[in-house]
């Protein structure tokens, strides 16, 4: 399957006013990025720990109204913070909001098992263990997919599922079962081995994993690494940018790289 190279920008919802985030989202769509992501946390992950920060899902509903072309989602939703059926309904609702006059939604359901302990402690969620959180994600995804079949109105399209993480025993099996997109920070050198393991999981669950789009992060990487990831099969490249001043010059650089490789 031949895929175009896509660029997704994670507008990290930290250290900036919402007005500035709105302006950045609008400008990024005008610049020509393919996807806009945020993250699903309650506190900043860098800089001042108690700095400005906004909640992911309500922000995405706003972005769905602000934009008309880009796809959008979290990189990634934390499965622990919301009931699976509620997650499905929220995703379906943003899917419809983002459809606008076209009738086809632009929402990507990016999800993962969660990891930032402060979120759990401050908001009263049980942190558990990495294994228990992955087990909860594995149990949640079938419920989410089933709820999508019951909602009225139904989603406007088969909502793409992006799963983040690279754990070989549990995460990649969940990816093989449920993901349309697999996101990781895996190096170009290690990616072939991870893909072999993913293929083994796909064989076990009866899935052709070549259907799954590969996604990887560009931050703190140069074009040589991006080219190596591209050679290894990655076609969705993400770049995280943070407030208070979102770096759009770096975004423009990677847009030029994307366009040159797609030419």
């Amino acid at each position: 399957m031949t895929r175009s190279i896509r660029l997704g920008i994670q507008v990290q919802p930290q250290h900036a006013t919402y007005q500035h985030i709105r302006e950045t989202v609008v400008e990024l769509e005008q610049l020509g990025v393919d996807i806009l992501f945020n993250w699903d946390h309650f506190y900043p992950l860098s800089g001042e720990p108690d700095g400005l920060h906004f909640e992911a899902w309500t922000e995405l509903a706003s972005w769905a109204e602000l934009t008309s072309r880009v796809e959008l989602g979290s990189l990634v939703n934390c499965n622990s913070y919301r009931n699976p059926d509620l997650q499905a309904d929220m995703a379906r609702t943003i899917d419809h909001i983002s459809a606008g006059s076209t009738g086809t939604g632009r929402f990507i359901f990016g999800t993962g098992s969660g990891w930032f302990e402060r979120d759990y402690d401050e908001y009263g969620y049980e942190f558990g263990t990495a294994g228990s959180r992955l087990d909860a994600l594995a149990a949640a995804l079938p419920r989410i997919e089933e709820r999508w079949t019951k909602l009225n109105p139904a989603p406007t399209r088969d909502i793409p599922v992006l799963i983040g993480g690279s754990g070989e025993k549990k995460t990649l099996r969940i990816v093989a079962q449920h993901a349309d997109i697999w996101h990781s920070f895996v190096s170009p050198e290690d990616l072939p081995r991870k893909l072999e393991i993913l293929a083994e999981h796909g064989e076990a669950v009866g899935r052709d994993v070549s259907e799954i789009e590969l996604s990887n992060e560009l931050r703190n990487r140069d074009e040589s690494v991006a080219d190596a990831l591209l050679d290894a099969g990655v076609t969705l490249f993400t770049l995280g940018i943070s407030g208070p001043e979102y770096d759009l010059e770096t975004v423009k650089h990677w847009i030029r790289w994307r366009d040159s490789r797609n030419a």
Side-chain angles (χ1 to χ4, degrees):
M1 181 185 300
T2 302
R3 296 185 176 94
S4 296
I5 302 166
R6 302 196 292 164
L7 180 63
I9 303 301
Q10 184 192 54
V11 183
Q12 298 165 358
Q14 61 178 8
H15 307 308
T17 65
Y18 196 66
Q19 180 61 34
H20 188 35
I21 292 172
R22 285 170 55 93
E23 292 166 354
T24 301
V25 163
V26 170
E27 188 167 358
L28 285 167
E29 180 171 58
Q30 292 171 347
L31 285 173
V33 305
D34 300 290
I35 306 170
L36 291 173
F37 292 111
N38 60 14
W39 65 32
D40 187 19
H41 296 289
F42 304 132
Y43 295 93
L45 298 186
S46 62
E48 168 54 47
D50 293 312
L52 298 176
H53 198 277
F54 292 96
E55 192 276 330
W57 282 83
T58 43
E59 188 179 66
L60 289 171
S62 167
W63 294 7
E65 288 282 11
L66 282 171
T67 59
S68 61
R69 177 189 58 78
V70 291
E71 291 188 285
L72 50 99
S74 274
L75 193 68
V76 287
N77 166 67
C78 177
N79 178 67
S80 306
Y81 301 159
R82 302 162 193 88
N83 171 284
D85 295 88
L86 175 61
Q87 293 178 53
D89 203 341
M90 294 165 71
R92 180 281 309 254
T93 299
I94 296 177
D95 168 70
H96 276 265
I97 295 170
S98 67
S101 60
T102 69
T104 302
R106 297 175 283 119
F107 184 74
I108 294 173
F109 183 65
T111 194
S113 58
W115 62 273
F116 189 40
E117 191 168 3
R118 185 184 181 191
D119 284 348
Y120 288 80
D121 292 344
E122 296 269 7
Y123 278 61
Y125 298 106
E126 181 182 349
F127 188 57
T129 66
S132 69
R133 295 192 299 276
L134 280 167
D135 290 343
L137 177 63
L141 282 162
R143 284 179 58 182
I144 291 165
E145 292 163 350
E146 182 181 7
R147 179 59 55 186
W148 281 335
T149 70
K150 297 177 178 179
L151 291 169
N152 184 14
T156 66
R157 64 173 181 167
D158 290 334
I159 296 175
V161 174
L162 177 154
I163 295 174
S166 58
E168 296 175 2
K169 291 183 179 180
K170 290 187 176 183
T171 303
L172 290 182
R173 187 174 184 89
I174 296 170
V175 169
Q177 289 176 301
H178 299 283
D180 299 289
I181 305 167
W182 171 43
H183 179 76
S184 77
F185 295 80
V186 174
S187 70
E189 296 76 22
D190 201 31
L191 193 54
R193 186 180 66 84
K194 294 284 187 179
L195 290 173
E196 286 179 7
I197 295 167
L198 179 61
E200 290 171 4
H201 285 303
E203 208 171 308
V205 302
R207 175 89 186 278
D208 178 4
V209 297
S210 68
E211 302 170 350
I212 300 172
E213 184 174 15
L214 305 184
S215 171
N216 209 299
E217 171 68 18
L218 289 169
R219 193 172 188 182
N220 298 324
R221 288 169 160 174
D222 60 20
E223 288 190 9
S224 66
V225 177
D227 286 336
L229 288 167
L230 181 61
D231 289 342
V234 174
T235 55
L236 172 55
F237 292 84
T238 67
L239 177 68
I241 58 175
S242 176
E245 295 302 326
Y246 293 102
D247 180 8
L248 300 189
E249 291 306 311
T250 301
V251 173
K252 292 174 185 176
H253 168 82
W254 287 112
I255 289 173
R256 291 191 293 270
W257 176 85
R258 176 204 64 189
D259 292 347
S260 70
R261 300 309 185 270
N262 277 331

